[in-house]
Amino acid sequence: MMTKNRTVIIISHIEDLDGLVSAALVKKYLLQQNYSPSCINIRLTTYPNLPNEIRALSNRSDTFILYILDLGLNYEILSEIEKNFPKKTDPMIQTHVYFDHHEFPNYPRSIEQILNNFFNIIVNPSRYKAIEKEASNSLSDITRKCTADLIYETYPLLKSSFWDQLVYYAHLMDFKSDNMTINCDIAQNLNQYISFYQNDEKKIYDLLDCMNDPISWKIFLQQLPKAMISIKKWYSDQISLISKSKIQSKFLGYSVIAAWADLRSGEITSNLRLLYPEVDLILGLSVREKYLNIRTSKDFAHRLAEFFGGGGHKDRAGFSLPSKWENVVQKYSSDLLFPSIILEDFLQQCTSILRTDG
């Protein structure tokens, strides 16, 4: 079979196991389709940096195939797509593919209409469309699948015991919440490893490379326990900081709790949910990410996040810190307790949403 040399760009989420496994799955699928490894370019990124990645695409002069994986949409990203994204009818583009499991945000115009202008294939809980021959037509309960689940079912040729395990780990860690205890040491260790090395891109890319080679993956898992000695100490200190930094409040009948640490923001709220399952509204601020994650007992977390230009799921979502909050974080970074000024400002700005859903 002739080798395919067209450039493929894969943009995926760097901050969790789902984003990494999703990128590894698509790369494996492309290799099965006889694409040259040298033509597959993976860019792992964060939500705040995704608009920069989109702008960079508009400056390319070569033809390419594009995949965007596990990166939910928000107002800024949609705006950048409309301003800078090459349309799917552009002769420079062969195929645009979007795999993601986050709900589409509320937007003045139809998200479907916007995305239809740019993507040939869209797989998302808000709208399922797959036009490739290999696509599965039996994506059951799509709203409870992570992005790796969606890719794995869409491309059944990937099926193997090796990928079964990796997709299972991605799913397990992506949906850990609401009193769920993870009884899988490998999945937990991988999650903590990614969190610890979030600012070391080489470590994350090396981990991604291992996922595409069963032998390298086996060696990595053999070496992981040694690496976890220092990581677990750091992680344990961060968990302690979550408990010590928390502040609690009541607002419009809601019980509210907020904490901060250097962990990923979703890790902070996940741990708070386990400790305080009865709380209505949980906020976790990652000092390192400059990102705030929201978990709610009712399905309106995404609406709160969208108010600040973010997005996510109905019960868990997030957004990049506004500049005025970044200044507060910098000013009070040596303090133990979560800055009450941020909590008060958040609640006041979200009053209308909280009253509507209360």
Side-chain angles (χ1 to χ4, degrees), residues 18 21-26 28-29 32 67 69 99-100 123 128 134-139 145-171:
D18 190 22
V21 174
S22 295
L25 282 166
V26 170
K28 180 62 177 179
Y29 167 75
Q32 287 179 339
Y67 283 82
L69 313 174
F99 279 102
D100 183 60
V123 182
Y128 173 53
E134 299 92 341
S136 165
N137 292 318
S138 59
L139 286 170
K145 295 181 185 296
C146 65
T147 303
D149 287 321
L150 300 179
I151 295 169
Y152 199 42
E153 291 191 15
T154 302
Y155 300 140
L157 291 177
L158 292 168
K159 190 71 176 176
S160 71
S161 58
F162 174 75
W163 290 111
D164 282 349
Q165 282 296 311
L166 280 177
V167 172
Y168 170 70
Y169 297 151
H171 180 97

Side-chain angles (χ1 to χ4, degrees), residues 65-177:
I65 296 168
L66 176 67
Y67 283 82
I68 294 183
L69 313 174
D70 194 39
L71 287 159
L73 303 170
N74 60 34
Y75 298 118
E76 182 182 8
I77 293 169
L78 283 168
S79 176
E80 291 299 333
I81 285 175
E82 290 198 281
K83 285 190 297 184
N84 297 293
F85 222 54
K87 290 191 175 183
K88 65 184 183 184
T89 54
D90 191 314
M92 301 298 291
I93 307 300
Q94 183 175 14
T95 305
H96 279 162
V97 184
Y98 178 64
F99 279 102
D100 183 60
H101 68 126
H102 302 92
E103 285 83 2
F104 287 162
N106 296 315
Y107 201 64
R109 291 184 295 114
S110 167
I111 300 298
E112 187 170 331
Q113 181 182 358
I114 295 171
L115 294 182
N116 269 339
N117 290 329
F118 302 98
F119 292 94
N120 307 85
I121 301 171
I122 302 168
V123 182
N124 182 273
S126 303
R127 173 177 178 268
Y128 173 53
K129 177 184 178 184
I131 63 174
E132 295 204 1
K133 293 179 181 178
E134 299 92 341
S136 165
N137 292 318
S138 59
L139 286 170
S140 59
D141 192 21
I142 194 171
T143 59
R144 294 304 295 173
K145 295 181 185 296
C146 65
T147 303
D149 287 321
L150 300 179
I151 295 169
Y152 199 42
E153 291 191 15
T154 302
Y155 300 140
L157 291 177
L158 292 168
K159 190 71 176 176
S160 71
S161 58
F162 174 75
W163 290 111
D164 282 349
Q165 282 296 311
L166 280 177
V167 172
Y168 170 70
Y169 297 151
H171 180 97
L172 200 60
M173 299 316 298
D174 218 62
F175 289 104
K176 63 181 192 316
S177 61

Side-chain angles (χ1 to χ4, degrees), residues 11-30:
I11 302 176
S12 192
H13 193 198
I14 194 173
E15 296 171 301
D16 62 20
L17 198 53
D18 190 22
L20 268 64
V21 174
S22 295
L25 282 166
V26 170
K27 181 178 180 179
K28 180 62 177 179
Y29 167 75
L30 293 168

Side-chain angles (χ1 to χ4, degrees), residues 115-260:
L115 294 182
N116 269 339
N117 290 329
F118 302 98
F119 292 94
N120 307 85
I121 301 171
I122 302 168
V123 182
N124 182 273
S126 303
R127 173 177 178 268
Y128 173 53
K129 177 184 178 184
I131 63 174
E132 295 204 1
K133 293 179 181 178
E134 299 92 341
S136 165
N137 292 318
S138 59
L139 286 170
S140 59
D141 192 21
I142 194 171
T143 59
R144 294 304 295 173
K145 295 181 185 296
C146 65
T147 303
D149 287 321
L150 300 179
I151 295 169
Y152 199 42
E153 291 191 15
T154 302
Y155 300 140
L157 291 177
L158 292 168
K159 190 71 176 176
S160 71
S161 58
F162 174 75
W163 290 111
D164 282 349
Q165 282 296 311
L166 280 177
V167 172
Y168 170 70
Y169 297 151
H171 180 97
L172 200 60
M173 299 316 298
D174 218 62
F175 289 104
K176 63 181 192 316
S177 61
D178 303 333
N179 299 313
M180 178 180 177
T181 302
I182 305 298
N183 295 314
C184 180
D185 288 342
I186 293 177
Q188 290 194 82
N189 286 347
L190 289 171
N191 189 63
Q192 293 176 19
Y193 184 94
I194 293 169
S195 184
F196 182 77
Y197 285 115
Q198 198 54 222
N199 289 345
D200 188 339
E201 282 197 357
K202 185 179 185 308
K203 286 283 189 182
I204 303 299
Y205 277 96
D206 286 347
L207 174 59
L208 176 62
D209 287 341
C210 288
M211 290 179 179
N212 274 112
D213 178 22
I215 295 176
S216 297
W217 183 249
K218 182 178 180 180
I219 294 172
F220 173 81
L221 291 183
Q222 290 172 344
Q223 297 173 341
L224 185 59
K226 183 178 180 180
M228 291 305 301
I229 295 173
S230 58
I231 292 174
K232 283 188 176 296
K233 172 64 168 62
W234 172 82
Y235 199 85
S236 176
D237 290 344
Q238 293 298 312
I239 297 300
S240 296
L241 179 58
I242 291 172
S243 182
K244 293 174 182 176
S245 72
K246 72 178 187 301
I247 59 174
Q248 294 177 270
S249 180
K250 278 277 190 181
F251 188 77
L252 297 177
Y254 289 96
S255 55
V256 184
I257 191 166
W260 64 354

